[in-house]
Amino acid sequence: MRAGADGCPGLVRVHAAADGGLARVRLPGGVISGPRFAVLAAAAAELGDGFLELTSRANVQVRGLSDGAERELGARLRAAGLLPSTTHERVRNIAASVLSGRDGAGLLDVRPLVARLDAELCADPGLAELPGRFLFTLDDGRGDVIAMRGDVGLYAVGADEMALVLAGADSGLRARPEEAVDLALSAARAFLRVRTGEWRVAELAGGLPLPGARAEPVAVPVAPRRTALGAIPQRDGRTAFSGLVPLGRLDPAPLHGAGEIIVTPWRGVVIPDLSDVPHFPGLVTAPEWDGLTSCAGRPGCAKSLTDVRADAARTRAAGGLPVHWSGCERQCGRPADRHVAVVATPGGYEVRLDGTVRTGDLTATAAAVATTRRSE
Ligand code: SF4
């Protein structure tokens, strides 16, 4: 297989979208400190369209950059510590269990592993060759991010043991937490040795050749246990607030002053370590937004057949499977797990589930989505 160009955007190489430059900022574990968030928000306001777009991998994007503004953006974010490596920035795709170590829901605290994986990834020049879509997942056993079917995952199966999960399947290889990052990186290096153009581990015909004794594989969750919404008690007596950002377009202003912000892979944010829970305008906890996502669509994407965000917002429905709206067949940002796909085509929207297709105008589509979700 021959590899084409790796088109994943970053901060150094921005994507030329219809509404201007688009820069993607990697946030390992989805975590960003309050001061860094303030820098990012100011840069988005002064250089972009003022919003932060949340991605399905818990990264953020700045849109609407004018020609040349990416250099100023990169300089500001590098000074703030948000661009620790120019060679590795696009491979720092690390999703981690949200609230790990804080709410007591996991078997161990993966936060130190996120920091170590990020540092060791960036310290190995060879790993800069990983594709920009290659994903690491670090799951503390709660079963949230491991269901994203990342390329290389570490899944806690005990307080002292992590399973190496490759493309969503348990390899049987095990490591103690302090050795787990080495195991994950050895899997990433093995991918680079055997790939002949594949972007993802799942595309390798022969899998990954990794030595070592195998344990009996465990079942890996295929549907993520998404972060609860609203106030979440922490083990230390404080509270985290979890809210969704409708269709992933975040106005950062109401989050100013937060000590830390965790972006979730479900277009939400969590503000941890609160003594009191203030109101955060723009964050919602209503269930009709849960699982409803869309690509950018018009006017941001020239390939889009319609303004999918506006259409999705008019047709939300509660309960059932996640629903992802797309402006064309590429279906950017769609969930990895089973979902209802609403795809714009020249003949109108198609609602797709498990190979079944329905076509219709917006009203018919809304009805089809609601029916499909309720029946699941
Ligand atoms: S799915 Fe199509 S319309 Fe939507 S952002 Fe991707 S390329 Fe653009």
Side-chain angles (χ1 to χ4, degrees), residues 174-225:
R174 300 287 183 266
R176 295 174 59 80
E178 56 270 26
E179 297 157 352
V181 165
D182 292 340
L183 181 61
L185 291 174
S186 67
R189 293 186 187 104
F191 172 76
L192 288 176
R193 279 197 302 276
V194 301
R195 86 183 273 247
T196 55
E198 296 85 352
W199 301 110
R200 307 293 307 270
V201 168
E203 297 166 7
L204 292 173
L208 274 185
L210 290 168
R214 257 63 174 180
E216 185 68 24
V218 299
V220 177
V222 293
R225 292 190 60 191

Side-chain angles (χ1 to χ4, degrees), residues 295-297 301 303-304 326-328 330-332:
C295 75
C301 179
K303 291 191 175 67
S304 185
S326 302
C328 80
R330 287 185 67 175
Q331 302 180 58
C332 298

Side-chain angles (χ1 to χ4, degrees), residues 32 34-52 60 62 73 76-77 82 250-256 261:
I32 181 169
R36 284 178 174 170
F37 186 80
V39 172
L40 182 58
E46 292 160 24
L47 304 171
D49 68 4
F51 289 84
L52 297 175
V60 297
V62 178
L73 179 70
R76 290 191 194 190
L77 299 194
L82 284 164
L250 174 67
D251 174 2
L255 300 184
H256 281 163
I261 292 153

Side-chain angles (χ1 to χ4, degrees), residues 222-224 226 287-293 316-325 335 337-342 351-354 368-376:
V222 293
R226 296 201 291 265
E288 64 260 35
W289 288 107
D290 200 5
L292 181 66
T293 55
R316 58 189 182 271
L321 288 171
V323 178
H324 185 72
W325 290 66
D337 52 320
R338 188 167 177 252
H339 64 280
V340 179
V342 184
V351 179
R352 304 173 186 167
L353 177 65
D354 300 335
V369 169
T371 303
T372 307
R373 293 192 87 189
R374 272 197 302 272
S375 66
E376 293 306 310

Side-chain angles (χ1 to χ4, degrees), residues 339-350:
H339 64 280
V340 179
V342 184
V343 183
T345 73
Y349 280 110
E350 284 187 1

